[in-house]
Structure formats: C-alpha cells, structure tokens
Amino acid sequence: MAIKKATLVLEGGATRGVFTSGALDYLMDQDLYMSHVIGVSAGCCNAVGYVSKQPRRTRDCMIPADKSGNYYYGIRDFVKEKSVMNMDLIFDKYPNEMIPFDYDTYFNSEITCEIVTTNCITGKAEYMTEDHDRERLMKICRASCSMPLLTPIVNIDDVPYLDGGLADSVPVRHAQKIGNEKIVVILTKNQGYRKKVISPALQRVYRRAYKSYPNLVRTIFRRSFEYNKMMNHIDQLEKSGEIFVLRPQVKPVSRLERNKESLEAFYEHGYSYMERRMDDLMAYLER
C-alpha cells in the first residue's frame, strides 16, 4: 500500500457522517490512504476507522442492525443521563465488545490522525493525537463528538472538552499549516449551505448551561460566522483547484436521523459518489 502525501479533512454532522463513511469505504476498498487525517466530531469516528483500515465499521456503528445497538436514549434516560445518546455504548461497548476497533493497526499506522476538540476553558480548538492509550483515544473521540446541550462535557487530563466543530468545524486552515500540498475535504452538507445565527432564546439557554465557561459561550455564538467564512474560503480554494472537495449531491439526512433506510441510502450515496469522482481525485493527487 502506497500512502499518498496529502491531508484528508473530515467534517462532522452527527448521523450525516454516514456520507463520509461511504466515501471512505470506497477509498479503503481501492486501498487508497493519505498521510494525514483530521477528523471533527462524527468525522473523527470516520477518521479513526480509516486509519485502522476497517471498512464498514463506522457504517455499522452509525446504522445499528438491531435494537441492541441503538445508541439513542428515550426521554427517561435522557433526563437521567443528561445525554441524547448513549456515549458509553458508542465509545466503550462498541469498540471494545460489540464492533471491535483494531487498536493495534491504528497505533502502528504511518498515518497521522488528529482529532479536533473544543477546550471549554479557552474556547479554542485543539488538535489531539493518541498513539498508545486505548482508553484515552476513545475519550478524545467522545469529546470531539459531544454536542453542546445534548451530551455531557468530557474531561481529558482534567481539562473539560466538547464538540470540536464548535471551534473549528472544517479545519482547512490547520490542514494548510501541516504543509502537505494536497488537501482533500469531505463535507456532509450541500454546496451553498450556510449556518444561521443562533436565536436570542437559544443564546440564553447556552449562557445558562455554560455560565462557568464564558470563552466557550463566545465561541458557540461566533460559530455560524466562522463556519460561513470557512465555506467561502473552501469555495475559493476549490474553484482555483488548490483543494479537492467531496460533498453530498442529494439532500442530507437530519443531524439525528433514526430511519435506517434513510441512513443506508445516504451511506450508499457517499460510496457511489466517491466512486464517480475517483478519477478526478487521482488526477488532483497526482498532478
């Protein structure tokens, strides 16, 4: 296997990440790997699955085959656990029991994998790595995927973290700092998508929920502005041929989609669309 010297950037989007799962499964089926991967939120789950060379694993995590693998909590458990999703199932039972994660391949890989988290104290993005500690790796992934208001804060080395997408939803600028000439970006929303400003009512909810973390609150309030600015930047880079971008060509599923058929269709779209764009991708990587 020849690893292409390039940086792969993977956007989050909760269950929209099945699009990315499909695209990466096609790349893995073609034995195409890149030297650096940066994953944000659900994108980090796809990133570690790519580095561990486990096609279909992330898909199987995101689309449970039966009720035993259902990671959504009901109302009663949501109130008790203060989480919309069973994070222990996703980041403990899945990788260690039900859908085993290949830690050995991951830790021995030549691919550099960075997982984006948001430091609740500073409100800034951190690009975290882990090359030997299984528990810490899954804790970093959990933090990157911990959506504000919907899932609890995660403490790593006594520092509180939340969803990496709050501070850096699509880390293209960080990818540029790595220095690889080629950057491949996989987005989970359509061309032209822009985030709306948070409503005053929701701003009040955030202020109450995270009153101990004023920098985090400021980051959350600025997220739409920063995201939209980055999308404009990505559009310019794509137009000039400096980066390669893959994004859905159909309407994405909802962020917390539960319908199995809808998720499977979005996964298949990611797989088939990556297949259609493969010649374009190779031409970009090799020119």
Side-chain angles (χ1 to χ4, degrees):
M1 178 197 69
I3 297 178
K4 297 286 184 182
K5 187 170 176 56
T7 301
L8 180 60
V9 178
L10 307 176
E11 185 183 19
T15 51
R16 294 190 190 110
V18 294
F19 172 81
T20 306
S21 300
L24 294 184
D25 282 352
Y26 181 78
L27 294 184
M28 286 190 274
D29 285 347
Q30 305 309 307
D31 206 26
L32 177 60
Y33 290 88
M34 297 173 217
S35 59
H36 291 73
V37 185
I38 311 171
V40 184
S41 194
C44 88
C45 297
N46 280 306
V48 297
Y50 179 73
V51 176
S52 67
K53 300 179 185 176
Q54 291 180 272
R56 309 327 182 267
R57 183 186 178 276
T58 308
R59 177 201 66 182
D60 292 345
C61 291
M62 289 188 173
I63 312 176
D66 54 51
K67 290 184 179 180
S68 68
N70 182 18
Y71 47 78
Y72 285 108
Y73 276 137
I75 295 297
R76 184 179 300 174
D77 286 328
F78 171 71
V79 172
K80 178 184 175 184
E81 302 292 337
K82 296 182 173 61
S83 179
V84 74
M85 293 188 292
N86 186 340
M87 302 297 269
D88 288 335
L89 175 65
I90 298 169
F91 296 105
D92 183 7
K93 287 190 176 181
Y94 272 4
N96 298 316
E97 299 174 24
M98 298 171 66
I99 313 174
F101 180 77
D102 189 343
Y103 291 99
D104 291 338
T105 297
Y106 181 87
F107 289 140
N108 291 317
S109 177
E110 298 174 43
I111 301 169
T112 299
C113 184
E114 293 185 285
I115 298 166
V116 186
T117 58
T118 298
N119 184 314
C120 295
I121 297 171
T122 66
K124 294 182 179 180
E126 293 188 13
Y127 308 90
M128 308 178 81
T129 60
E130 180 52 57
D131 61 8
H132 69 278
D133 188 324
R134 296 183 176 199
E135 185 177 346
R136 188 171 185 274
L137 174 64
M138 286 301 148
K139 190 173 280 191
I140 293 171
C141 289
R142 182 191 292 226
S144 184
C145 293
S146 291
M147 297 177 285
L149 302 180
L150 299 179
T151 48
I153 285 172
V154 177
N155 286 292
I156 303 170
D157 306 326
D158 297 321
V159 178
Y161 291 94
L162 273 175
D163 192 331
L166 299 176
D168 196 353
S169 295
V170 189
V172 168
R173 294 196 188 279
H174 180 71
Q176 290 173 315
K177 292 176 184 177
I178 290 173
N180 286 334
E181 187 180 334
K182 306 297 182 182
I183 298 175
V184 176
V185 182
I186 301 183
L187 303 175
T188 57
K189 302 178 202 59
N190 301 129
Q191 174 83 48
Y193 172 84
R194 297 295 185 269
K195 285 189 181 296
K196 297 178 181 178
V197 175
I198 298 173
S199 69
L202 191 53
Q203 287 184 23
R204 290 193 289 271
V205 173
Y206 278 120
R207 284 198 181 96
R208 284 197 300 269
Y210 301 113
K211 60 185 177 182
S212 300
Y213 305 108
N215 290 325
L216 173 67
V217 173
R218 278 191 285 272
T219 295
I220 291 172
F221 290 176
R222 283 186 58 83
R223 187 185 184 192
S224 60
F225 172 76
E226 296 295 341
Y227 181 89
N228 296 344
K229 187 167 72 170
M230 175 52 67
M231 288 301 107
N232 293 338
H233 182 55
I234 286 173
D235 286 348
Q236 291 172 353
L237 294 175
E238 182 184 19
K239 189 175 181 179
S240 65
E242 295 176 63
I243 65 174
F244 179 92
V245 181
L246 190 86
R247 53 168 68 82
Q249 302 300 297
V250 300
K251 183 181 178 181
V253 296
S254 67
R255 188 170 62 138
L256 296 175
E257 182 63 62
R258 297 187 185 216
N259 183 275
K260 184 177 179 181
E261 288 72 27
S262 297
L263 291 169
E264 288 174 342
F266 202 45
Y267 165 85
E268 292 296 340
H269 174 58
Y271 190 96
S272 62
Y273 191 54
M274 185 72 260
E275 183 177 16
R276 282 168 51 196
R277 296 291 310 279
M278 188 64 172
D279 289 345
D280 296 335
L281 174 60
M282 294 307 297
Y284 168 76
L285 292 173
E286 293 174 358
R287 71 166 184 250

